[in-house]
């Protein structure tokens, strides 16, 4: 009787350590590339910009105004805009409302509607229960935040975009917004998408209700300070 064939499983590659040791090298030769911008002064490429403000203050309308100007490559408020394709993820307002607002903006600013229609892609998540980009789950007594199919879809469609706009954080992040670890993971994932395609990522966020009740106390984000600390660029729409 022949002996049974024994198959050996390949050894798993060692997991790299979380912190990478970087040699300082010749400090005299170190250079840093200047920050490249989609909209001069306010929206950098390759990172997430948190755009906070009270509900109903006009964040979405202003974001769409910036989108239309980037699509056409014309300055907004004397700030130069790089012309490029824009990906707009609408999780709060249905597509027809977004299209109507873009039409109004084009008329008000004299922008070419055909160029905006060509360069702007709208992803409407208002009719789906699965449109959140990251979701909190609990398995075997452990709570975690996982990426969803919607986030993968954005990553796939982002190729060639100069600007990605997520409207808004409370709908995109289906997890405890006061959980600092989840917030950091979410922001870092959006940042990786932006860096991969060299696009700016604009994330709209409501001001915390308690902060709003007491005059915002200088805050312009929702949830924990992790939203503020996890991004390197912030805009605030305030009185």
């Amino acid at each position: 009787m022949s002996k049974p064939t024994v198959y050996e499983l390949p050894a798993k590659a060692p997991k790299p350590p979380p912190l990478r040791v970087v040699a300082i090298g010749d400090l005299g030769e170190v250079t840093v590339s200047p920050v490249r911008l989609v909209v001069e002064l306010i929206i950098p490429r390759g990172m997430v910009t948190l755009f906070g403000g009270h509900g109903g203050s006009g964040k979405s309308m202003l974001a769409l105004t910036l989108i239309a100007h980037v699509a056409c490559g014309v300055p907004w408020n004397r700030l130069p805009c790089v012309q490029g394709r824009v990906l707009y993820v609408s999780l709060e307002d249905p597509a027809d409302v977004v299209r109507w607002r873009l039409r109004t903006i084009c008329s008000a600013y004299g922008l070419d509607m055909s160029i905006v229609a060509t360069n702007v892609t709208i992803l409407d998540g208002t009719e789906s229960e699965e449109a959140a980009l990251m979701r909190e789950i609990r398995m075997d007594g452990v709570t975690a935040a996982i990426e969803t199919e919607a986030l993968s879809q954005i990553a796939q469609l982002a190729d060639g975009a100069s600007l990605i706009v997520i409207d808004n954080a409370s709908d995109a992040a289906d997890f405890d917004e006061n959980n600092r670890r989840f917030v950091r993971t979410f922001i870092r994932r959006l940042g990786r998408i932006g860096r991969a395609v060299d696009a700016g990522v604009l994330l709209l966020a409501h001001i915390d209700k308690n902060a709003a009740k007491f005059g915002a106390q200088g805050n312009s984000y929702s949830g924990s300070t992790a939203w503020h600390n996890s991004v390197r660029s912030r805009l605030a729409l305030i009185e």
Side-chain angles (χ1 to χ4, degrees):
M1 185 173 180
S2 61
K3 293 182 179 181
T5 304
V6 177
Y7 296 96
E8 293 186 2
L9 295 175
K12 290 184 177 180
K15 187 177 180 180
L19 303 179
R20 181 171 62 94
V21 178
V22 179
I24 291 180
D26 187 357
L27 291 180
E29 301 297 325
V30 175
T31 60
V32 176
S33 300
V35 176
R36 299 172 62 245
L37 299 147
V38 181
V39 180
E40 195 69 25
L41 298 179
I42 60 174
I43 303 181
R45 289 180 179 267
M47 64 179 69
V48 178
T49 297
L50 184 67
F51 181 20
H54 293 292
S57 61
K59 293 188 302 298
S60 296
M61 200 67 171
L62 179 52
L64 287 169
T65 300
L66 293 171
I67 284 171
H69 282 76
V70 170
C72 293
V74 300
W76 171 78
N77 196 29
R78 293 175 293 186
L79 299 178
C81 298
V82 172
Q83 185 174 21
R85 193 169 71 82
V86 182
L87 194 61
Y88 180 69
V89 184
S90 182
L91 303 176
E92 189 172 53
D93 297 310
D96 284 346
V97 172
V98 175
R99 293 170 64 237
W100 177 82
R101 286 175 173 174
L102 281 173
R103 174 189 173 185
T104 302
I105 290 165
C106 288
S107 297
Y109 286 91
L111 302 175
D112 190 323
M113 293 186 189
S114 64
I115 296 178
V116 172
T118 298
N119 285 339
V120 177
T121 299
I122 300 171
L123 297 181
D124 183 2
T126 60
E127 297 181 1
S128 173
E129 298 297 326
E130 304 297 328
L133 309 189
M134 191 166 281
R135 174 165 289 114
E136 183 175 338
I137 64 168
R138 187 171 181 82
M139 294 181 62
D140 300 325
V142 178
T143 303
I146 61 169
E147 298 180 13
T148 66
E149 183 180 349
L151 185 60
S152 299
Q153 186 180 6
I154 292 171
Q156 293 170 1
L157 295 174
D159 189 35
S162 295
L163 179 63
I164 303 166
V165 179
I166 312 293
D167 188 4
N168 57 59
S170 59
D171 294 306
D174 187 12
F175 52 75
D176 180 2
E177 63 180 16
N178 292 303
N179 188 308
R180 304 176 72 85
R181 179 166 58 88
F182 292 171
V183 172
R184 283 197 304 269
T185 301
F186 178 59
I187 295 295
R188 287 177 179 176
R189 183 65 182 100
L190 291 179
R192 284 201 299 271
I193 293 175
R195 287 191 297 277
V197 299
D198 194 29
V201 180
L202 189 65
L203 176 63
L204 278 61
H206 294 308
I207 290 179
D208 179 76
K209 291 181 179 179
N210 290 326
K213 182 178 179 181
F214 297 103
Q217 297 177 343
N219 296 331
S220 54
Y221 51 83
S222 178
S224 75
T225 54
W227 292 94
H228 167 73
N229 295 332
S230 296
V231 297
R232 307 306 300 164
S233 173
R234 281 188 57 207
L235 295 173
L237 188 59
I238 57 177
E239 294 182 5

